[in-house]
Amino acid sequence: MTSETASPHAGGALAGLRVIELGGIGPGPHTAMMLADMGADVVTVLRPGETEKSRDGWAHITRRGRTIVELDLKSEEGLGELRRLIGVGDVLIEGFRPGVTERMGIGPEESLELNPRLVYARMTGWGQDGPWANLAGHDINYLSITGHLNAIGRRGEKPVPPLNLAADFGGGSMFAMSGILAALYSRGNTGAGQVVDVAMVDGAATLGQFQWAMRARGQWSDMRGENMLDTGYPFYDTYECSDGKYMAVGCLEPHFYAEFAKLLGVDGENDPGQFDVDRWGELRELIAARFATRTRDEWAEVFAGSDACTTPVLSYTEALENEHNTARGIYVDIAGDTGPAPAPRFSATASPTPSQPPREATPAAGVWA
């Protein structure tokens, strides 16, 4: 599965794997970051001068743990160096619009001819084909045509984008990772590489299999705010506390709800009942009124250590101080940049501590020479 030459990054499940990333933004760099986190030797190819321009930008932190080279891919010299890297690499990640790398002379056909074992991962929003394939788009757009965006939000209110987590990273980089690793597994059996077509719209749609399955059984409505996981159920929602902060409630199962009701103080005669749908309005008002009597941190203490599935809604700053997050080391500081630690975790091939994003480019001629 891996090249004979070991990665300069010690250890990790993917140590020795050589990855070429044609620099971009969003899910492509995120995929490359996760591969590097697991020990792969990732070389990111940027345009001349781009390293300095972007070193303090928002995209820079996702370039941790890898080497950067700058190549002018409009020149024969630059293309020649890239072709050399392709010839000895294991994986190539590109996030251009369909047809761009073909016009550059480094499309899948040319690259697989140079290296038949190459896994060529293509990251786009709409896919390599279809009437929208060459259109621009972002996370919100890919979600909008899968049905997901329409489903996110409160009843009677407009749809709310879930940051850019669902399509860019959930449907993009996570599916790129699984596709790349699947293609590498296949290569181990056949000896041949292949093209992995990663479309964020495809991945986002697949993430919604649970909702589609419920819909097929008549258990999910197209009306947002009326379903189990979209704030339609009063025991799966957020509630404001006396200090303006919030608690998250997710006690779907009856035994978890029973503990929630007891700790909140709405059990017994005061409880309208978890599944008496006709009284859900009453139940929601009762829960909201109780939460409004104390601060968020006071309620967090009440529910601490319980199976009530009720937790404080934390800001990013507060997340760094949460006892569970700190105990597991979920966030790390790398040269002043704070972000998530490598995941998942391995028992035998622990991921190395990520190195900081490189601030200078490395001469391409010395890479994998």
Side-chain angles (χ1 to χ4, degrees), residues 240-245 247 263-264 289-302:
E240 187 173 3
C241 302
S242 63
D243 56 355
K245 298 180 180 180
M247 291 291 288
L263 291 172
L264 187 66
R290 286 292 297 158
F291 273 118
T293 63
R294 301 187 188 183
T295 67
R296 183 201 63 184
D297 291 346
E298 287 173 335
W299 281 118
E301 185 64 28
V302 169

Side-chain angles (χ1 to χ4, degrees), residues 3 23-24 57 64 111 131 163 265 273 304 365:
S3 303
R64 72 190 191 192
S111 296
L163 305 182

Side-chain angles (χ1 to χ4, degrees), residues 139-222:
D139 188 286
I140 193 171
N141 307 118
Y142 313 133
L143 288 183
S144 74
I145 71 160
T146 62
H148 291 330
L149 186 59
N150 183 69
I152 302 173
R154 295 189 176 278
R155 183 178 182 179
E157 298 182 11
K158 65 180 183 179
V160 177
L163 305 182
N164 66 335
L165 299 176
D168 277 0
F169 301 119
S173 54
M174 294 303 172
F175 278 81
M177 278 287 293
S178 60
I180 288 168
L181 296 178
L184 289 170
Y185 179 83
S186 175
R187 189 184 75 175
N189 293 327
T190 67
Q194 62 181 299
V195 178
V196 181
D197 175 2
V198 183
M200 291 172 236
V201 68
D202 294 351
T206 302
L207 290 175
Q209 178 60 24
F210 181 84
Q211 282 71 33
W212 281 98
M214 293 189 70
R215 184 176 181 273
R217 290 159 178 77
Q219 299 173 342
W220 195 276
S221 166
D222 279 350

Side-chain angles (χ1 to χ4, degrees), residues 230-312:
D230 64 359
T231 74
Y233 287 25
F235 41 88
Y236 198 93
D237 204 346
T238 58
Y239 289 91
E240 187 173 3
C241 302
S242 63
D243 56 355
K245 298 180 180 180
Y246 290 82
M247 291 291 288
V249 176
C251 49
L252 294 172
E253 296 81 358
H255 52 294
F256 296 152
Y257 175 81
E259 186 161 359
F260 163 77
K262 179 181 178 181
L263 291 172
L264 187 66
V266 298
D267 57 333
E269 295 182 1
N270 294 326
D271 187 357
Q274 182 179 11
F275 291 110
D276 187 346
V277 178
D278 292 337
R279 299 184 66 189
W280 270 1
E282 181 184 343
L283 177 59
R284 188 181 297 276
E285 291 179 3
L286 180 61
I287 294 173
R290 286 292 297 158
F291 273 118
T293 63
R294 301 187 188 183
T295 67
R296 183 201 63 184
D297 291 346
E298 287 173 335
W299 281 118
E301 185 64 28
V302 169
F303 288 100
S306 76
D307 279 341
C309 303
T310 302
T311 50

Side-chain angles (χ1 to χ4, degrees), residues 6-253:
S7 163
H9 308 291
L14 298 181
L17 186 74
R18 289 176 166 180
V19 178
I20 305 154
E21 177 210 355
L22 302 185
I25 59 173
H30 191 243
T31 304
M33 183 196 79
M34 289 188 291
L35 292 170
D37 282 351
M38 296 180 195
D41 185 358
V42 180
V43 173
T44 298
V45 178
L46 300 180
R47 293 187 294 270
E50 191 174 350
T51 308
E52 183 175 358
K53 291 179 183 177
S54 64
R55 68 170 51 139
D56 295 318
W58 57 268
H60 185 61
I61 191 171
T62 61
R63 293 186 181 139
R64 72 190 191 192
R66 48 212 203 254
T67 301
I68 290 179
V69 300
E70 294 185 347
L71 295 175
D72 180 2
L73 299 182
K74 294 182 179 179
S75 71
E76 280 304 315
E77 181 182 359
L79 279 174
E81 276 297 337
L82 179 55
R83 291 190 179 108
R84 180 184 68 79
L85 294 174
I86 289 172
V88 295
D90 295 298
V91 177
L92 182 141
I93 302 170
E94 64 98 348
F96 303 121
R97 297 196 197 194
V100 170
T101 57
E102 284 87 345
R103 292 192 291 273
M104 294 169 64
I106 51 170
E109 185 175 343
E110 297 90 345
S111 296
L112 285 165
E113 186 174 333
L114 287 169
N115 181 356
R117 291 173 54 79
L118 184 71
V119 171
Y120 196 107
R122 318 195 77 175
M123 177 83 71
T124 60
W126 305 110
Q128 295 297 315
D129 52 27
W132 294 11
N134 281 292
L135 299 179
H138 283 294
D139 188 286
I140 193 171
N141 307 118
Y142 313 133
L143 288 183
S144 74
I145 71 160
T146 62
H148 291 330
L149 186 59
N150 183 69
I152 302 173
R154 295 189 176 278
R155 183 178 182 179
E157 298 182 11
K158 65 180 183 179
V160 177
L163 305 182
N164 66 335
L165 299 176
D168 277 0
F169 301 119
S173 54
M174 294 303 172
F175 278 81
M177 278 287 293
S178 60
I180 288 168
L181 296 178
L184 289 170
Y185 179 83
S186 175
R187 189 184 75 175
N189 293 327
T190 67
Q194 62 181 299
V195 178
V196 181
D197 175 2
V198 183
M200 291 172 236
V201 68
D202 294 351
T206 302
L207 290 175
Q209 178 60 24
F210 181 84
Q211 282 71 33
W212 281 98
M214 293 189 70
R215 184 176 181 273
R217 290 159 178 77
Q219 299 173 342
W220 195 276
S221 166
D222 279 350
M223 298 298 294
R224 62 182 162 275
E226 295 185 356
N227 301 288
M228 180 172 67
L229 304 174
D230 64 359
T231 74
Y233 287 25
F235 41 88
Y236 198 93
D237 204 346
T238 58
Y239 289 91
E240 187 173 3
C241 302
S242 63
D243 56 355
K245 298 180 180 180
Y246 290 82
M247 291 291 288
V249 176
C251 49
L252 294 172
E253 296 81 358

